[in-house]
């Protein structure tokens, strides 16, 4: 499949790279990093990346993407486990589709796929693929891919960080990653962000079993006026605490209620599946129908701890 992806890229004049809705840095880093790699190695290709972005990068915008172009294009999805999460509503118009991912593969929605469920990040999958295919690198590709690798691995501290994760990091560092610039852009914040994290942490609730959760509702958001990814940064305030074995961040958005789940030891992906979500054993996401449903979610997470599902 690795060589097949190269052949498909060579075949098409226009390539659309789609990520999941409300992207994190693994989704954006995968899409932008792959786009820069294709541009570096196949400069004649027209590349489009639709959907939201986390920064003000204006490369590969999809403003001029028409139905006529889509119908003769290859669509590559990155970091998107299920079809309904793709941030591109004309996916089915594409001539051919290719999925690159690292989540548990519960939805083989594309014509072709490269899915490595053991990889900690989609950027890891793309990095190792590019290295295996002996592609030429540029700093833009390396920097974007490193952002996703760094964040999805929790700065290489999450339990499913493997030797292959560090191998991907080595490849990126040797091919132009600016370590300090990326760390500063991701982890150096202003005073307001620190105040938000303190505010979010003040809302923490913890059960005696070790389930912790924070709810960021619409009223909270009026106080801070952040985007989704900024609100999601509060998830990290619950990690590294002895008293919390499983933690959840619940964010009430205009059109849905999103939940991010994390654990150091207990398998939470099956609970996420129950609530229209999924992901990895120790890092998953899901949705609630109404904010009050968090109580049912907490009960299910407490059950995971009581049953010792590690």
């Amino acid at each position: 499949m690795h060589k097949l992806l190269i052949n498909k890229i060579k075949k098409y004049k226009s390539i659309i790279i789609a990520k999941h809705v409300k992207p994190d840095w693994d989704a954006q880093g995968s899409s932008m990093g792959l786009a820069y790699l294709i541009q570096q190695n196949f400069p004649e290709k027209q590349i489009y990346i639709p959907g939201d972005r986390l920064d003000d990068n204006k490369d590969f915008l999809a403003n001029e993407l028409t139905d006529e172009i889509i119908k003769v294009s290859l669509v590559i999805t990155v970091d998107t486990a299920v079809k309904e999460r793709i941030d591109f509503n004309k996916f089915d118009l594409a001539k051919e589709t290719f999925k690159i991912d690292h989540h548990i593969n519960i939805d083989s929605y594309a014509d072709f796929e490269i899915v490595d469920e053991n990889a900690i990040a989609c950027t890891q999958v793309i990095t190792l693929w590019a290295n295996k295919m002996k592609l030429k690198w540029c700093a833009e590709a390396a920097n974007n891919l490193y952002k996703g690798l760094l964040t999805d691995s929790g700065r290489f501290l999450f339990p499913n960080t493997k030797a292959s994760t560090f191998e991907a990091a080595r490849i990126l560092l040797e091919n132009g990653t600016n370590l300090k610039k990326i760390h500063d852009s991701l982890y150096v914040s202003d005073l307001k962000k620190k105040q938000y994290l303190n505010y979010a942490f003040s809302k923490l609730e913890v059960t005696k079993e070790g389930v912790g959760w924070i709810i960021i509702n619409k009223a909270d958001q009026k106080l801070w006026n952040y985007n989704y990814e900024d609100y999601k940064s509060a998830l990290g305030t619950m990690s590294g605490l002895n008293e919390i074995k499983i933690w959840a961040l619940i964010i009430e958005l205009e059109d849905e209620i999103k939940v991010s789940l994390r654990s150091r030891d207990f398998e939470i992906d099956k609970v996420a599946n129950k609530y229209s979500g999924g992901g990895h054993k120790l890092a998953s996401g899901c949705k609630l129908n109404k904010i009050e449903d968090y109580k049912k979610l907490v009960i299910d997470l407490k059950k995971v701890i009581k049953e010792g599902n590690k």
Side-chain angles (χ1 to χ4, degrees), residues 130-146:
N131 187 62
K132 185 175 182 179
M133 296 295 100
K134 296 181 168 52
L135 297 184
K136 294 183 292 184
W137 285 89
C138 61
E140 291 89 347
N143 281 327
N144 276 277
L145 291 167
Y146 189 79

Side-chain angles (χ1 to χ4, degrees), residues 2-236:
H2 286 67
K3 198 163 187 179
L4 178 62
L5 178 55
I6 286 288
N7 291 336
K8 293 297 180 184
I9 291 170
K10 289 178 178 177
K11 176 181 176 181
Y12 287 89
K13 179 182 178 181
S14 56
I15 297 167
I16 302 162
I17 304 175
K19 54 200 181 303
H20 62 71
V21 294
K22 296 182 176 64
D24 57 7
W25 281 112
D26 191 32
Q28 178 155 317
S30 293
S31 60
M32 300 300 292
L34 179 59
Y36 284 120
L37 277 170
I38 295 172
Q39 184 183 67
Q40 179 74 10
N41 290 270
F42 308 99
E44 73 282 4
K45 304 298 180 183
Q46 187 64 48
I47 307 165
Y48 304 90
I49 302 178
D52 295 333
R53 299 194 180 184
L54 295 170
D55 55 18
D56 58 359
N57 188 318
K58 297 296 191 295
D59 290 342
F60 313 111
L61 290 177
N63 298 339
E64 300 178 3
L65 186 58
T66 64
D67 288 357
E68 288 69 28
I69 294 174
I70 298 169
K71 289 174 183 178
V72 294
S73 295
L74 170 68
V75 171
I76 304 173
T77 66
V78 294
D79 196 40
T80 308
V82 295
K83 186 177 179 181
E84 68 177 22
R85 294 271 295 151
I86 301 172
D87 194 9
F88 181 54
N89 59 13
K90 295 187 177 181
F91 174 84
D92 290 325
L93 281 181
K95 182 73 172 177
E96 284 190 299
T97 57
F98 210 115
K99 173 184 178 182
I100 307 175
D101 195 27
H102 70 120
H103 297 97
I104 296 171
N105 197 13
I106 59 174
D107 186 1
S108 295
Y109 56 78
D111 297 322
F112 312 98
E113 61 184 31
I114 296 174
V115 178
D116 183 356
E117 296 178 2
N118 293 313
I120 203 163
C122 188
T123 50
Q124 177 180 321
V125 180
I126 293 170
T127 299
L128 297 178
W129 163 78
N131 187 62
K132 185 175 182 179
M133 296 295 100
K134 296 181 168 52
L135 297 184
K136 294 183 292 184
W137 285 89
C138 61
E140 291 89 347
N143 281 327
N144 276 277
L145 291 167
Y146 189 79
K147 282 185 179 181
L149 190 69
L150 186 66
T151 53
D152 254 31
S153 67
R155 303 195 214 187
F156 307 105
L157 294 174
F158 288 166
N160 50 340
T161 301
K162 299 180 175 64
S164 54
T165 311
F166 288 105
E167 173 64 10
R170 179 194 66 79
I171 293 166
L172 297 173
L173 288 168
E174 289 181 352
N175 285 286
T177 294
N178 186 325
L179 202 63
K180 183 180 186 306
K181 183 178 179 181
I182 290 173
H183 275 258
D184 287 353
S185 71
L186 292 173
Y187 301 116
V188 176
S189 66
D190 55 24
L191 179 60
K192 180 184 175 183
K193 176 60 74 66
K194 292 296 183 184
Q195 291 172 329
Y196 162 69
L197 294 176
N198 287 337
Y199 172 83
F201 189 72
S202 73
K203 303 190 71 181
L204 171 67
E205 296 189 58
V206 186
T207 71
K208 66 181 187 334
E209 294 83 3
V211 176
W213 70 94
I214 292 171
I215 298 175
I216 303 298
N217 57 37
K218 292 178 182 178
D220 297 322
Q221 293 165 46
K222 289 179 180 179
L223 296 173
W224 299 98
N225 194 29
Y226 277 144
N227 62 34
Y228 170 73
E229 195 64 22
D230 288 325
Y231 290 125
K232 189 179 174 183
S233 64
L235 182 64

Side-chain angles (χ1 to χ4, degrees), residues 200-216 234-250 259-264 266 268 294-295 297-303 305:
F201 189 72
S202 73
K203 303 190 71 181
L204 171 67
E205 296 189 58
V206 186
T207 71
K208 66 181 187 334
E209 294 83 3
V211 176
W213 70 94
I214 292 171
I215 298 175
I216 303 298
L235 182 64
T237 66
M238 294 178 279
S239 66
L241 298 174
N242 284 328
E243 293 83 358
I244 300 179
K245 298 177 176 66
I246 298 175
W247 56 102
L249 180 67
I250 302 157
V259 181
S260 297
L261 297 173
R262 298 292 185 271
S263 175
R264 287 186 298 277
F266 294 89
I268 52 177
Y294 84 88
K295 296 176 183 178
L297 175 66
V298 170
I299 290 172
D300 287 333
L301 294 174
K302 285 164 58 176
K303 186 177 179 181
I305 295 173

